[in-house]
Structure formats: structure tokens, C-alpha cells
Amino acid sequence: MSATKSKLSPAHTLSRRGEGPNPIDIHVGARLRLRRTLLGLSQEKLGEAVGITFQQLQKYERGSNRISASRLFNLSQVLGVPVSYFFEDMPSPEHIAAPSPDVPPSETEEFESMARRETLELVRAYYRIEDPSVRKRTFDLLKALGGERALDEAV
């Protein structure tokens, strides 16, 4: 052994039994669910593509089961993203240990709300409106219902 030891960065602590899923596994699972939903894939279809059951995919998405490196690589290929995609917007170690209510929602959380089935169906229905003026009036109506004033209020 050498006399000079190199300093290593501290690792995220792993959850112990009974403490629930590791926050990193939850984050990776949320990114998996986000990408699957944005592509319009069911858990069953994605599971078939990588050779697992939809139940196993559910466990991955919840973070209750950890995804192996080889499985994560396969998932990234099927979903058309680099492996690093699953770790984007990873909270810093301080936020993983003790999330603060003052911290604004991450980009992942915002994307997750946009990836809800209801949101996707709404957007698809909106773009099926062929008449641009009807589509614009619908957009203005939705903004008004949501509490945002329409930008150009023509009489």
C-alpha cells in the first residue's frame, strides 16, 4: 500500500432493508417511465422488447427493483436514448438525503406531469383540430380556464 491515499468522493448511501427504495433507483425508474410514456409504449410492449414481464418493468419504474447495467443498456437501446438519459436531472446528494420544500420542481418532475396519459390525450386531441382559428380559440379557452389570461384578447 502506498503512503499517500487518494481521496474518493463519498458515495450515495444505499438504503437499508426496510427503508424503502434507494432514491437513485426511484429517479432512474421515473426517467424510464417518462421515456416509455412519451413514446406511447405500454409496460407490456416495452417488457416484451427487452425480455421481461410488465410486472418487472413496474418494479423498475417504482424503483423497488434495481436495474442492472446490462438491462439499463438494453432499455436505452429500445427507448432510443443514451444510458446517461436515466441519470439526467439527478438531484445532488444533499437533496437526495433531505429534500427541501423550497427547491423548485426539477425538469424531470415537470416532464412527468406532461407525460401523464390525460395530458398526452389532450395534446393529441388538440392537434386533431384541423381549423387553425378553432384550435387557437380552444387554446385561449384552456388558458382562461387554467387562470392565465389570453395573450391577445381581440374583440
Side-chain angles (χ1 to χ4, degrees), residues 10-32:
H12 293 288
T13 57
L14 300 176
S15 343
R16 293 184 181 97
R17 242 175 241 261
E19 289 184 6
N22 183 293
I24 296 170
D25 296 327
I26 293 170
H27 178 83
V28 169
R31 297 288 293 177
L32 172 61

Side-chain angles (χ1 to χ4, degrees), residues 24-43:
I24 296 170
D25 296 327
I26 293 170
H27 178 83
V28 169
R31 297 288 293 177
L32 172 61
R33 181 177 56 251
L34 172 63
R35 183 64 180 168
R36 177 186 59 76
T37 306
L38 288 174
L39 292 176
L41 291 172
S42 68
Q43 289 176 330

Side-chain angles (χ1 to χ4, degrees), residues 63-134:
S64 57
N65 280 14
R66 192 163 286 155
I67 306 173
S68 70
S70 57
R71 178 81 69 214
L72 195 60
F73 181 77
N74 292 134
L75 286 163
S76 74
Q77 289 183 313
V78 170
L79 296 172
V81 293
V83 172
S84 61
Y85 165 83
F86 298 103
F87 300 96
E88 289 173 3
D89 300 324
M90 180 75 81
S92 65
E94 308 83 58
H95 293 111
I96 288 177
S100 167
D102 301 340
V103 176
S106 72
E107 192 174 304
T108 301
E109 292 166 333
E110 290 177 20
F111 277 129
E112 284 177 0
S113 67
M114 296 310 225
R116 290 186 192 130
R117 182 179 307 273
E118 178 184 35
T119 306
L120 293 172
E121 288 175 8
L122 180 63
V123 170
R124 288 179 185 129
Y126 172 80
Y127 281 109
R128 283 194 303 266
I129 300 171
E130 293 182 17
D131 185 334
S133 65
V134 172

Side-chain angles (χ1 to χ4, degrees), residues 6 16 45 47 56 69 108 114 140:
S6 63
R16 293 184 181 97
K45 288 279 185 206
Q56 181 62 45
T108 301
M114 296 310 225
D140 291 341

